[in-house]
Amino acid sequence: MKTLDALFNPRSIAIVGASRKPGKIGHEILRNLIEYGFSKKVYPVNPNAQEILGIKSYPIVKSIPDEVDMAIISVPAEKVLDAVKDCGEKGVKVLVVITSGFSEVGNEELERKLVELAHKYGMRVLGPNIFGVVYTPQRMNATFGPRDILPGSIAFITQSGALGIALMGWTILEEIGLSAIVSMGNMADIDVAEVSEYLADDPNTKVITIYLEGLKPGTGSRFLSVMRKVTMRKPVIVVKAGRSERGAAAAASHTGSLAGSDKVYDAAMKQAGILRALNVEEMFDWARAFALLPLPKGENTVIITNGGGAGVMATDAAEDYGVKLYDPPEDVKKKFRKYMPWFGSPKNPVDLTGMATPKEYYCAVKEALYEDRIHNIIVLYCRTAVCDPMELAKALVNAVREAKRDDIEKPITVAMIGGEDVAKAMKYLNRNGIPAYPIPERAVSAMSVLIRYARYLKQVREVKNV
Ligand code: COA
């Protein structure tokens, strides 16, 4: 059993401080665990209760008549050390310490004692000062955040609690599927590098996203060397807060970690193969693309559009993001020309014009999928009366599925500009394996990062072979 198995795949969980009162943190964690469908054993621990949410409660962890892999600690700070000792004597493997009031408020001594005591019993500590942990393959929502996390293959590690909880709700709304959510808090023991290392081996995680504020003093070089290995296995996307001087100072006082010079972080992250996103929207845009799409086999990219303006915006974005637009030779242009009126353009962007219906899109996209010299496809759509967005979405999904049956898989991102029916069509695409975005720039940005990561892997592998 790996050290962090108890954190992601516990066979049983005790909740120390499982309150009887709805709305209190310990109560809500227990409720989330039960209602999200955790199938393993759950033991509320509360000396003042007999039963909570219909489950027998125990006065102390030691009185639980079963092995306990994970204990969630949700009692006030002054009671935490006693709870840790109780867990240690029981043989608990990992502690998820929700409680605040440690190094983040200058109480370093208590935090040091917490870790020291835990280690004395061979236990690891996540936190303190966290909202918990989610692992969707086990239907484990051990947090006091939103409950109905959509399962998927994106892992999300966050150093900010409130932002993390808020983003949990946002991912539900945006239908972003997650494998894991890990609140890091003060990182007194288990840190971002260790969690990333574990998730690099997790078959249910395809891409790792991290909201990072700063690293503990002295942990920078280990972080980078671990990340260098992780990024060889899976893409890692980081939003590093505290880019500005004032932001860095705010980050330092938030989690008590060193923010460091942003330029140094930036260069180091690049070297380690980490993809740095500017904000959380971009991070999840990219993550969705990695979760759904194969990696590019080359850099030749075509844009297929029904609107010249959208095509121009995407072309500008391609230049900004370093996406190489393929110049189709005459024979390829001839193929595209079949699906457009005489005033269309078979160059790149391939402009099917406002007359395009789902059928023309389907045919042009199929040409691009089956053309070996084209590696990546960006489809743009502006809502017109002659092209129903849902019909278009279905046509695109069919084209991709048919190609897949012939063993052809290429990354394809889509931008759809329009109103409510367009939003529905985008949801359909996202649910069916094609990432769709509301503006061209985001579709290009998502494609660019796939290309960048594939390029990085190729370079590193070439260097290693030398
Ligand atoms: N073992 C187990 N349960 C105990 C206990 C013990 N030794 N001592 C008390 N309890 C019970 C209490 O009786 C209570 O249950 P009840 O409501 O049924 O009576 C429950 O544990 C919780 O204790 P309580 O004293 O009411 O604490 P609380 O729920 O008000 O606060 C924390 C506890 C951990 C939530 C709070 O101290 C805290 O740190 N809050 C901040 C958490 C946070 O924001 N984390 C970061 C997020 S990003």
Side-chain angles (χ1 to χ4, degrees):
M1 197 177 189
K2 279 195 251 157
T3 321
L4 294 195
D5 271 341
L7 186 62
F8 292 98
N9 292 292
R11 290 162 300 178
S12 54
I13 302 178
I15 299 139
V16 184
S19 169
R20 292 159 292 182
K21 299 182 193 93
K24 285 179 79 172
I25 285 181
H27 184 92
E28 295 308 320
I29 294 175
L30 177 63
R31 183 195 292 278
N32 269 350
L33 270 173
I34 298 166
E35 293 187 358
Y36 191 58
F38 184 60
S39 61
K40 311 284 172 59
K41 304 233 179 63
V42 176
Y43 298 106
V45 176
N46 183 334
N48 306 308
Q50 301 294 319
E51 191 185 279
I52 305 168
L53 288 167
I55 305 179
K56 181 176 162 43
S57 175
Y58 294 85
I60 54 172
V61 179
K62 260 182 296 185
S63 59
I64 296 170
D66 183 17
E67 278 188 48
V68 177
D69 281 344
M70 178 202 285
I72 299 164
I73 309 283
S74 182
V75 289
E78 69 275 10
K79 292 187 178 173
V80 166
L81 293 184
D82 285 343
V84 171
K85 187 162 179 280
D86 179 25
C87 291
E89 287 168 356
K90 174 69 190 168
V92 169
K93 296 186 177 69
V94 68
L95 302 173
V96 172
V97 185
I98 303 293
T99 312
S100 301
F102 293 83
S103 66
E104 83 282 5
V105 291
N107 209 347
E108 271 93 7
E109 187 56 16
L110 186 61
E111 191 162 300
R112 196 186 53 74
K113 281 187 183 156
L114 156 67
V115 176
E116 207 175 87
L117 189 59
H119 284 183
K120 187 179 142 199
Y121 290 101
M123 297 185 290
R124 301 300 308 278
V125 178
L126 185 72
N129 187 30
I130 59 174
F131 64 80
V133 55
V134 175
Y135 188 59
T136 59
Q138 292 288 0
R139 301 296 298 174
M140 180 182 77
N141 183 344
T143 73
F144 58 95
R147 188 193 319 128
D148 294 320
I149 302 303
L150 194 75
S153 56
I154 302 171
F156 174 44
I157 302 169
T158 175
Q159 224 176 339
S160 163
L163 183 71
I165 292 181
L167 287 175
M168 281 167 84
W170 182 77
T171 59
I172 297 170
L173 186 73
E174 291 288 315
E175 297 191 358
I176 294 170
L178 300 169
S179 56
I181 304 171
V182 188
S183 172
M184 297 308 305
N186 298 0
M187 296 200 286
D189 180 22
I190 298 169
D191 63 10
V192 175
E194 193 174 355
V195 173
S196 304
E197 203 173 21
Y198 181 87
L199 293 170
D201 283 337
D202 172 31
N204 299 303
T205 296
K206 277 178 89 175
V207 47
I208 299 168
T209 60
I210 305 173
Y211 171 82
L212 188 71
E213 290 194 347
L215 300 169
K216 290 262 163 197
T219 62
S221 60
R222 191 180 73 84
F223 174 78
L224 290 172
S225 72
V226 170
M227 283 313 194
R228 218 169 281 132
K229 285 187 212 130
V230 174
T231 56
M232 286 299 294
R233 313 201 53 183
K234 279 171 198 175
V236 176
I237 307 166
V238 168
V239 167
K240 164 74 181 62
R243 276 182 297 120
S244 63
E245 234 168 77
R246 286 183 83 121
S253 67
H254 182 194
T255 38
S257 49
L258 273 192
S261 149
D262 191 68
K263 277 200 188 115
V264 174
Y265 264 108
D266 203 57
M269 286 202 277
K270 227 174 246 155
Q271 256 186 23
I274 294 169
L275 302 159
R276 185 175 184 181
L278 206 56
N279 52 49
V280 287
E281 180 183 73
E282 190 169 71
M283 177 167 80
F284 283 111
D285 274 1
W286 293 356
R288 205 198 281 270
F290 279 115
L292 298 179
L293 299 174
L295 281 184
K297 293 201 177 75
E299 302 220 1
N300 288 348
T301 306
V302 290
I303 297 169
I304 298 173
T305 181
N306 71 341
V312 175
M313 286 196 286
T315 306
D316 282 345
E319 193 154 316
D320 291 343
Y321 296 122
V323 173
K324 187 182 148 217
L325 293 187
Y326 174 63
D327 269 328
E330 230 14 82
D331 65 312
V332 177
K333 278 195 218 155
K334 207 167 147 197
K335 287 182 188 169
F336 285 130
R337 211 173 262 129
K338 288 186 279 179
Y339 312 114
M340 61 184 63
W342 63 268
F343 48 86
S345 169
K347 290 186 200 152
N348 196 2
V350 177
D351 186 356
L352 302 174
T353 81
M355 306 220 353
T357 70
K359 184 160 175 269
E360 282 77 36
Y361 267 106
Y362 167 85
C363 293
V365 167
K366 272 204 111 172
E367 291 289 358
L369 281 166
Y370 282 80
E371 170 52 61
D372 285 345
R373 287 163 287 180
I374 293 171
H375 305 120
N376 314 308
I377 306 161
I378 298 170
V379 177
L380 310 177
Y381 163 75
C382 300
R383 176 71 167 106
T384 64
V386 297
C387 189
D388 178 77
M390 188 56 87
E391 291 308 311
L392 171 61
K394 287 180 180 162
L396 294 176
V397 169
N398 285 342
V400 169
R401 282 193 186 146
E402 284 160 20
K404 200 170 174 183
R405 266 182 242 133
D406 290 331
D407 283 331
I408 293 169
E409 283 191 84
K410 292 180 185 176
I412 165 166
T413 62
V414 174
M416 293 184 115
I417 308 161
E420 218 171 291
D421 53 358
V422 166
K424 279 191 190 138
M426 283 200 287
K427 283 210 160 155
Y428 178 87
L429 284 171
N430 282 319
R431 284 179 197 154
N432 287 282
I434 302 179
Y437 306 93
I439 55 169
E441 288 81 355
R442 286 170 62 182
V444 177
S445 168
M447 182 61 79
S448 78
V449 87
L450 296 182
I451 295 169
R452 193 147 35 106
Y453 180 63
R455 202 186 287 151
Y456 172 79
L457 286 183
K458 195 165 161 242
Q459 273 165 6
V460 177
R461 282 175 188 149
E462 274 167 10
V463 169
K464 283 201 165 167
N465 284 341
V466 168

